[in-house]
Amino acid sequence: MTKFIIITGGVLSGLGKGIVTSSLGMLLKSHGFKVTAIKMDPYLNCDAGTMNPFEHGEVYVLDDGTEADLDLGNYERFLDTELSGDDNITTGKVYRSVIEKERAGEYLGKTVQIIPHITDEINRRIWNVADEDDFDIVLIEMGGTVGDIESSPFLEASRQLHMEVGDENLIFVHTTLVPVMNVVGEQKTKPTQHSVKALRSIGISPDIIVGRSDVEMEPSTKRKISLFCDVPQEAVISSPNADNIYRVPLILHNEGLTDYVMKKLELKKKNGFDEYMDRWQHFLADFENPTSELTVALVGKYCDLEDAYASHVEALNHCASATKTRINIRFMESEDFEEISAASELLNDVDGVLIPGGFGTRGIKGKMNAINHARTHGIPILTICLGFQISVIEFARNVLGYESANSSEFDPKTEHPVIDLLPMQRGIDKMGGTMRLGAEKVIINEGTKAHGIYGLTEIQERHRHRYEVNLDYIDEFETNGMIFSGKSSNSKRMEILEIKDHPFFMGCQFHPEFKSRPLDPAPLFLDFVKAMIKERDGK
Ligand code: GLN
């Protein structure tokens, strides 16, 4: 029998529910259970693909091409697993399938309603995930905050699921905020009490309360929450701010979360933690005890919101541990690089440059200047997706001499479209889920730098793009020193580029950051970091 753990959030958003969910999953996985995680997103979008990163953070891409909420990235990283689109249930997906069934006549004669039709569809999707791989435990994170109109069908569905499977098979973990009033330093429990009341009013009683706060919860605070919210004191878990997200599982475990969850779900305790936890602790020890440091400039256009580049940050964190180096990431607005003279000043004290993906014309010139500076000054640089495409344009303009070279994304009438629309994209006018998405095979040429990095001639990496390198120019690039060392299996899509005679100039059309794991950093990122270390240390 699969056990379910439903994680809800109260008081306000941004409490780190996703990290609590991922951490609990990690703890149960390292107790030997087969665990997976689902994110419920109460928005009406079918997926996160059409959302601006400014509004919702990074769009995370799964192997199957689903454009998902960034929490799926945390689940994949903490559980070291690969999820699918079925693991991100949105209101849009649920309503779409109910409406399609209604049109197909499947509910003939019935009035189609939120209860039971929408709630049944939500639970059908949950069971579908639970059954597809015989999971011991399915974690379900409820997006939004209890009390939101949007999330009520999801909460109602989980209330019904609880009725169906019983107390020993489903528990609710409620994450709330325990603020500290600075004047008196008192830890306040009222917001928690109110949000538990809101949860109760819809028929859900939390089994566990995780209190997020700046500092550790006092025993008296726990007692009060226990008393007013009707949960045993051992089920009140303190989750103070952690130095880094990878420490959170250990904090929660030391608070007794794992033991309490197992007791409530009547799970047989396996003999302590397994090797996964050992490796995790090593990762953490190296991450928290760096022996040197370096600074990398991330030149992007969504820099006001760090979450817009969440997987880049984590991929660098994974490499930080693997190399015992503190990696400072300097988020830099590409528009600040519009004057080429600015680039040398802005990049004066960084060890490397990372140019991430993106869409649209804003900030392109600045990214191009940053790339030009790194290329001509031997600064290690990794360019990804849009970054990769701009490095091709920069090379065409400044090395091949095609001054007007461009991507047809930015100038549809350009004389030299060195980046052009993918043939399969012609005629597509719908925006949602229509890019070249997900894991695709990349064939790497032997003897290239990319081959040395991956140690393989065939890899799978995740994609999300509409444009690509124009095949008409390949020979010219290659004779002038830009090598395309990775290509799609039919050789028609350029996937990896490298420049000879440069300490590290690599670009990729795919997104290596999505496959980086704490215990298995993305090879391109790791080699980039090693190159920065080598340059910093004067080789
Ligand atoms: N805008 C570019 C394209 O669609 C790059 C996309 C990206 O960086 N994810 O091809």
Side-chain angles (χ1 to χ4, degrees), residues 149-408:
I149 291 177
E150 286 89 346
S151 54
S152 40
F154 289 98
L155 289 165
E156 170 59 17
S158 48
R159 188 194 63 76
Q160 292 174 18
L161 184 63
H162 177 227
M163 275 286 287
E164 184 185 336
V165 300
D167 284 348
E168 70 284 14
N169 292 314
L170 187 150
I171 57 169
F172 289 97
V173 177
H174 190 52
T175 313
T176 72
L177 176 73
V178 180
V180 180
M181 296 310 282
N182 277 337
V183 199
V184 276
E186 193 189 345
Q187 302 183 335
K188 298 304 231 177
T189 64
K190 197 68 97 190
T192 303
Q193 294 178 42
H194 278 297
S195 77
V196 169
K197 209 164 154 190
L199 203 52
R200 285 239 156 78
S201 72
I202 46 180
I204 293 173
S205 296
D207 296 283
I208 295 171
I209 293 176
V210 176
R212 289 278 298 107
S213 50
D214 291 344
V215 293
E216 228 170 277
M217 237 192 264
E218 304 283 349
S220 58
T221 314
K222 286 189 175 179
R223 268 199 300 279
K224 207 161 166 189
I225 291 178
S226 157
L227 184 68
F228 283 93
C229 301
D230 197 30
V231 292
Q233 212 172 301
E234 57 174 331
V236 182
I237 304 292
S238 167
S239 177
N241 290 350
D243 289 340
N244 67 76
I245 55 171
Y246 299 106
R247 176 150 286 284
V248 177
L250 300 175
I251 295 174
L252 297 179
H253 179 70
N254 291 338
E255 276 283 304
L257 181 63
T258 335
D259 291 345
Y260 192 75
V261 164
M262 294 212 285
K263 186 165 98 183
K264 284 296 282 185
L265 291 175
E266 298 176 3
L267 288 165
K268 281 253 162 6
K269 196 169 171 167
K270 315 219 166 161
N271 284 337
F273 284 119
D274 63 12
E275 178 237 5
Y276 190 56
M277 179 54 100
D278 274 354
R279 293 176 59 211
W280 191 274
Q281 279 177 318
H282 274 119
F283 161 82
L284 202 54
D286 287 343
F287 184 57
E288 290 178 343
N289 299 291
T291 51
S292 68
E293 73 184 296
L294 54 80
T295 301
V296 50
L298 188 154
V299 184
K301 70 169 189 180
Y302 310 113
C303 289
D304 284 343
L305 184 72
E306 245 183 66
D307 263 358
Y309 297 113
S311 294
H312 294 87
V313 172
E314 296 317 326
L316 286 168
N317 283 339
H318 305 157
C319 300
S321 168
T323 56
K324 286 196 102 190
T325 307
R326 180 190 311 283
I327 302 180
N328 307 307
I329 306 173
R330 197 174 295 166
F331 290 91
M332 303 181 96
E333 269 302 328
S334 45
E335 279 170 307
D336 294 342
F337 287 79
E338 303 234 317
E339 296 300 322
I340 183 70
S341 55
S344 62
E345 206 171 303
L346 290 166
L347 299 177
N348 163 40
D349 59 345
V350 303
D351 299 286
V353 180
L354 175 62
I355 312 278
F359 296 84
T361 42
R362 185 173 74 81
I364 298 301
K365 195 171 168 208
K367 285 183 182 172
M368 201 160 331
N369 284 341
I371 293 170
N372 176 275
H373 183 79
R375 182 175 61 77
T376 52
H377 290 76
I379 301 171
I381 177 165
L382 176 61
T383 63
I384 295 173
C385 206
L386 181 70
F388 163 92
Q389 297 174 356
I390 303 174
S391 35
V392 170
I393 301 169
E394 191 280 324
F395 199 85
R397 288 188 187 179
N398 300 317
V399 180
L400 306 188
Y402 294 128
E403 261 172 62
S404 61
N406 216 333
S407 163
S408 42

Side-chain angles (χ1 to χ4, degrees), residues 40-54:
M40 303 284 209
D41 276 313
Y43 45 69
L44 273 157
N45 306 59
C46 288
D47 58 46
T50 51
M51 290 186 188
N52 186 329
F54 262 142

Side-chain angles (χ1 to χ4, degrees), residues 356-360 384-387 389 407 409-410 419 422 435 463-468 509 511:
F359 296 84
I384 295 173
C385 206
L386 181 70
Q389 297 174 356
S407 163
E409 179 179 8
F410 317 135
I419 303 294
L422 282 154
M435 286 187 241
H463 296 72
R464 183 174 188 246
H465 65 121
R466 290 188 205 280
Y467 294 82
E468 62 169 346
Q509 182 61 75
H511 292 268

Side-chain angles (χ1 to χ4, degrees), residues 14-43:
L15 281 179
K17 233 181 323 138
I19 299 299
V20 170
T21 307
S22 307
S23 298
L24 183 51
M26 185 273 158
L27 291 164
L28 293 164
K29 175 188 161 87
S30 45
H31 263 299
F33 297 106
K34 197 165 169 194
V35 188
T36 193
I38 301 177
K39 176 78 192 288
M40 303 284 209
D41 276 313
Y43 45 69

